[in-house]
Amino acid sequence: MSDPDSLHGLDAPPGFDADVIVVGAGPVGLTTGCGLRHHGVACLLLEERTEIKAYSRANNLWARPQELLAGIGLRDALAKNAYPVHTLNFFVDGTPTSPIPIADVASPYPQVLYSGQDVIERTLAGTFEERGGRIERGVTVTDLVQDETGVTVVLRRGESGPEERRRARYLVAADGAKSTIRPRLGLDFEPERFEHCMNRQVDAKLSWRRSETPDQLWFFYYERGFAGIMPVWGGYHRLFFLADDTGVPDRDPTLDEIQALARTVTGDETLTLTDPQWLTHSRFQYGVAPAYARDRVFLAGDAGHLSLPIGGQGMNAGLHDAVEIAWRLAMALRGQAAPVILDSYDGERGGEHARLSAQQARGFRWTVYRGAVTDTVLGLAAKALPNLGSLLQGTDDMQQMGVSYPKSLLNEDRLSGLSRMLRPGPKAGERAPDAEVTHRGETTALFPFLANPDGWTTGWALLCFDGRSAQAHPALRDAIRAAAPWPWIRPRLVLAGPLLDGAEVPILSDMDGKAHGAYGLEGRPALVLVRPDGHIAFRDDADGSEALAAYARRVFGAPDAA
């Protein structure tokens, strides 16, 4: 659903080919395009490939990215062609650790979805075109020029095609690890490399003595290596082996070589691989661009980082980028955003990629460069530590539920005091939690009142908690009036106490205190402003209407300019 004040529909402004050009039509670029069209932004995708790749690279969707995709209407279409996975099994030198219930997270989408990058791209490309987006394939971007009002892209078709130009008000570079845009912005970096290790991988049909139902993952620590087996859409499985490269040929493996190695690692002499789709080998390097934005150009996904294959985090982090830049650009193009809205993207997403890269590097070093002593310790620990698998991966947040922006330019947190210490709730920059509430006599969740509130795709939900006190009602009314000049701020009353009459906003009853508890606000009337991406931006006591209005002026601009 488009905002009530939707932008240009399918048409770009005069003198422009689109409001936004996205370079790259992989999963991140396509998600960016779909997000922009969701917000009503005229968008053009440029892609060098003429066809979608016939095999899969990245293939999983964690819980938090699924929430973000649901907010722009993409999650359910992707889920139709994906396997829901609920359990992760770890083995250390043949000894099983306690299975990890990866679906045990507080999200509407707890199960990990495993599909295939080719399937994901086809789904997203179809949705993008259904939403009125345009894709030009077979074009290579050779240069770009920025000025005060837009970005001009220079491109060509084929090796000797004539130069062509496309112009937009903003550009998003989602053109992968070998980005042509990143170095032209002065944002290139020298990647760090891991020496003496190699990954060998195959997507093939799998027969073995363990379950072949595609609802689980298996990971194996073995001498000098780490292996994984996971589903790929269409009845296939992916097998990978990260290991010391001593004595290993520097070429793609054969199916017989992978099968023999898999039998040894899994302890299953019957394991058989057939119908291989993709056999490959690779080495590892990682790094992050020094910034994620330059003026009117923004980086997304692999264009801004080289990600390591630890926990399947790379594409998922890029999907965060796609959703985050789409709502920001839509607000800027509508004149609903002060400069801080776009300025905040760099610090938030660049900072998160730097954090994730360091985390992955620690996990990778631990995984690949283990010695005999470490393996002995792991073998003993496997019987004693039920969360060993989480520790080995460098994080217990593989579902990306903990992604937050504690230093965001958009944060303002005015809640403090003893009650805050005794009942901690999510701070500004953190994900706004879901909770059970009642609306018009029906039990429901809070999330539907946060995403696209009242039909505003870039709407900010203002949660007005009464703290079980009718005495808070006048202050909550004042807050609703204070937000009115910015119509995309959509108030919701969260009432654990008496009803508040005459308020023409959704009333969410919270008599059992589940929402108040989730936000750490039991007994404390408060205001919580939630961004379009579901992260908390502003918190204050219920009488903070003046502070709320000041925040809105800083982030959105004066009402007469909005």
Side-chain angles (χ1 to χ4, degrees), residues 167-186:
R167 184 162 172 78
R169 296 174 70 181
Y170 295 97
L171 183 141
V172 177
D175 52 341
K178 298 179 180 179
S179 171
T180 60
I181 304 297
R182 185 177 67 234
R184 285 170 170 78
L185 300 174

Side-chain angles (χ1 to χ4, degrees), residues 330-404:
M331 293 197 75
L333 287 162
R334 292 191 179 116
Q336 297 173 347
V340 70
I341 291 280
L342 286 179
D343 291 345
S344 64
Y345 175 79
D346 181 12
E348 287 188 12
R349 294 309 302 155
E352 171 58 20
H353 281 291
R355 184 203 64 79
L356 178 61
S357 182
Q359 169 191 294
Q360 288 185 308
R362 288 192 300 270
F364 195 89
R365 288 189 181 94
W366 175 260
T367 296
V368 175
Y369 296 130
R370 305 185 329 273
V373 173
T374 300
D375 275 350
T376 299
V377 172
L378 288 178
L380 296 172
K383 301 176 182 179
L385 295 177
N387 63 337
L388 176 65
S390 296
L391 297 175
L392 292 172
Q393 291 301 290
T395 178
D396 59 359
D397 184 33
M398 295 179 70
Q399 294 270 42
Q400 298 192 346
M401 298 291 287
V403 172
S404 65

Side-chain angles (χ1 to χ4, degrees), residues 208-223:
W208 63 340
R209 290 166 58 192
R210 293 181 172 89
S211 172
E212 295 175 19
T213 303
D215 61 356
Q216 301 180 62
L217 310 178
W218 286 266
F219 294 102
F220 302 85
Y221 282 85
Y222 61 99
E223 185 179 358

Side-chain angles (χ1 to χ4, degrees), residues 358-501:
Q359 169 191 294
Q360 288 185 308
R362 288 192 300 270
F364 195 89
R365 288 189 181 94
W366 175 260
T367 296
V368 175
Y369 296 130
R370 305 185 329 273
V373 173
T374 300
D375 275 350
T376 299
V377 172
L378 288 178
L380 296 172
K383 301 176 182 179
L385 295 177
N387 63 337
L388 176 65
S390 296
L391 297 175
L392 292 172
Q393 291 301 290
T395 178
D396 59 359
D397 184 33
M398 295 179 70
Q399 294 270 42
Q400 298 192 346
M401 298 291 287
V403 172
S404 65
Y405 310 114
K407 298 181 180 179
S408 173
L409 298 174
L410 300 180
N411 289 356
E412 187 171 326
D413 204 328
R414 304 169 70 89
L415 289 186
S416 60
L418 180 61
S419 63
R420 172 72 181 89
M421 297 174 62
L422 295 176
R423 288 189 294 272
K427 306 179 186 71
E430 297 180 6
R431 167 186 173 271
D434 200 5
E436 181 183 293
V437 292
T438 300
H439 179 247
R440 295 178 177 174
E442 297 290 335
T443 300
T444 183
L446 192 58
F447 267 12
F449 295 90
L450 302 182
N452 306 311
D454 303 330
W456 292 72
T457 69
T458 54
W460 295 50
L462 177 62
L463 301 179
C464 303
F465 291 88
D466 69 347
R468 295 194 184 277
S469 174
Q471 295 179 353
H473 289 183
L476 299 183
R477 289 183 186 276
D478 288 344
I480 293 171
R481 284 192 292 268
W486 298 274
W488 50 90
I489 299 180
R490 311 306 297 173
R492 282 90 175 77
L493 287 165
V494 185
L495 305 180
L499 288 175
L500 192 161
D501 295 329

